[in-house]
Amino acid sequence: MGCRRIFFAAILFAAVCFAVPGATRAAQPAWQANIPGLASEPKAWSSLLNELQENGFRAGTLAAATRMLMFFTDLQSKEAAYKAILALVDQGYPFSVLPYFQAGDLSPSGDYEFVNSYNLYKAVLNRDKGLERWAKQYMEGVDTAHYRKFVFLEAIEAYSKKDYKAAEEKLKSLLSADMGPELKAFARKVARTLARTYFDQEQYAKALSIYSGFLLKTAPIDPHDWLEAAWCLYYLKRIPEALGMLYNLESEAAQEIFSLEKFTLRALIYRNQCAVSPADLLVQSFQKEYGDIIRGLKRGRPLSEFPKLAALETSASGEFQQIKITLQWLNQELPLVKKLSKEVASLAAYVYNSEILMLNKRVKLYSTAALEKAAVRLIMMDENLRFLKFSVQREKYNPDTIFKADPATALPAAVSDERNVKIRWLQHGDFWRDERLNYEGAIPNRCFD
């Protein structure tokens, strides 16, 4: 009898072990990571954070703030970290910081700006996750009648619902308020949203006035504003000015922008102008810039062999581009860390080196999807531009219009800017620039010659 009990007990033990894979490991301690000794003092992190902010190291500031949220549980460290993150947003940080508020468990009081910002971010985060009860609780801590970021949120939501009248009213109320230099980035966001509201209502002149009168006169210039202003000029049928606005995208200031939209707009302009030769040169320009990549893709070469493909803007590259740009900032700031005091130098080196190492591994998680999307986008643009040549020729030789041969003209001379940097754009006709540094492209309409 005793032997039978032992036998059944052994079978039961084996069954449990095989049925539950982790059963034999249950007694083992969970994996834990220890904070390095030089990074274990919250005060040192606070000093580092202050110096990074004072020197304008935005990537380092974000890395240090997020590490503080992971490493420490004291309220002082958490509050300092969140204040630093929100300050980056106010300075124009271009990416979403909502995920960093996931683990936030503060109940801030006193500081009007911080209390409202923190509660608003927590409310939006919980609402997006479907946690309406928590969203309502955090929203009760926001001054919904006066706080500018809440009013801007309402304007964005109205705009997304195509309630342009409500969006316009709220955006105008924000722009009419007194905002100091510290809110310049916020004012630009509001103004750009108002311009897009006008554009979607086909009020192109009003939209253009915001770009030309404010956004493109306030440093630093966002190259995307040149593109959006060019679209306004195109719909206003101010073709030479639209081409001139696009020409700005060939300057050094726009070298980090790899958007195929400029080719789309130029193609539309040339088709509407029956400009056969410029359309042909547009295809040549595209092939010069992306031809090697396209041929490589068609031959089955790995996507990772094309760095320019990784920089191409697509709808699926948000997270990928954020990591790539953050890595670029970190590598730019790293040599300047020597400007920091000796007290925080070692900690700063640890933050930068470990963050770069982590992001280099993390970027691989998003690279495949982003590169595939960029490759498809590039090949589709190549095919569209090939058909463009025939489309323009069809317009040119439309029997309902009178035409004459497009005379051959020499390529324009290289244009030099104030830094003596020469830029060239393949296209027939000349570009001239007035005393306000505005370019215009001289391209005649051949449809009614």
Side-chain angles (χ1 to χ4, degrees), residues 142-369:
V142 180
D143 181 2
T144 55
H146 306 97
Y147 188 51
R148 65 181 185 282
K149 289 183 181 178
F150 177 78
V151 177
F152 185 50
L153 174 64
E154 286 186 313
I156 292 290
E157 291 177 342
Y159 172 75
S160 65
K161 296 175 182 176
K162 298 186 178 182
D163 185 358
Y164 299 124
K165 182 177 180 181
E168 184 179 339
E169 289 177 355
K170 292 183 181 299
L171 294 168
K172 283 184 174 180
S173 70
L174 289 169
L175 290 172
S176 64
D178 185 16
M179 289 189 283
E182 69 279 1
L183 295 179
K184 181 177 71 172
F186 178 75
R188 289 172 64 89
K189 288 181 182 179
V190 175
R192 187 174 292 109
T193 306
L194 181 59
R196 290 170 180 172
T197 301
Y198 286 140
F199 185 89
D200 285 0
Q201 297 178 82
E202 300 183 4
Q203 299 179 22
Y204 305 118
K206 287 185 177 181
L208 180 63
S209 67
I210 296 175
Y211 290 110
S212 59
F214 176 56
L215 293 173
L216 292 175
K217 288 188 175 180
T218 309
I221 290 177
D222 184 343
H224 291 94
D225 290 335
W226 280 322
L227 184 58
E228 294 182 19
W231 278 108
C232 293
L233 290 164
Y234 168 74
Y235 282 110
L236 290 169
K237 302 186 185 304
R238 292 161 60 176
I239 299 303
E241 293 172 78
L243 282 171
M245 194 65 70
L246 287 177
Y247 195 62
N248 286 291
L249 295 175
E250 307 303 314
S251 69
E252 281 191 342
Q255 290 308 301
E256 295 181 3
I257 303 301
F258 294 94
S259 173
L260 298 182
E261 199 171 343
K262 64 179 181 180
F263 293 101
T264 301
L265 183 49
R266 283 177 63 187
L268 288 172
I269 290 173
Y270 296 153
R271 189 184 65 181
N272 290 348
Q273 299 294 105
C274 299
V276 178
S277 296
D280 186 54
L281 287 173
L282 173 62
V283 176
Q284 293 181 36
S285 177
F286 179 81
Q287 287 296 325
K288 182 178 179 181
E289 190 167 354
Y290 297 106
D292 290 340
I293 301 176
I294 293 171
R295 287 187 290 273
L297 293 174
K298 291 181 178 180
R299 292 170 183 168
R301 290 171 57 188
L303 301 179
S304 57
E305 291 186 8
F306 307 107
K308 204 167 189 177
L309 193 64
L312 199 64
E313 295 182 341
T314 68
S315 59
S317 63
E319 189 79 17
F320 179 72
Q321 292 297 338
Q322 178 177 353
I323 299 173
K324 292 278 290 185
I325 292 173
T326 303
L327 277 168
Q328 180 183 339
W329 290 346
L330 287 167
N331 285 300
Q332 289 173 348
E333 294 172 8
L334 181 57
L336 304 177
V337 169
K338 58 186 178 183
K339 295 171 57 177
L340 304 178
S341 66
K342 294 181 180 179
E343 289 76 11
V344 299
S346 297
L347 183 56
Y350 160 74
V351 169
Y352 275 87
N353 290 324
S354 59
E355 190 74 7
I356 290 172
L357 180 63
M358 180 189 71
L359 291 181
N360 276 324
K361 292 182 178 180
R362 187 180 170 198
V363 74
K364 297 177 182 178
L365 299 174
Y366 301 93
S367 62
T368 301

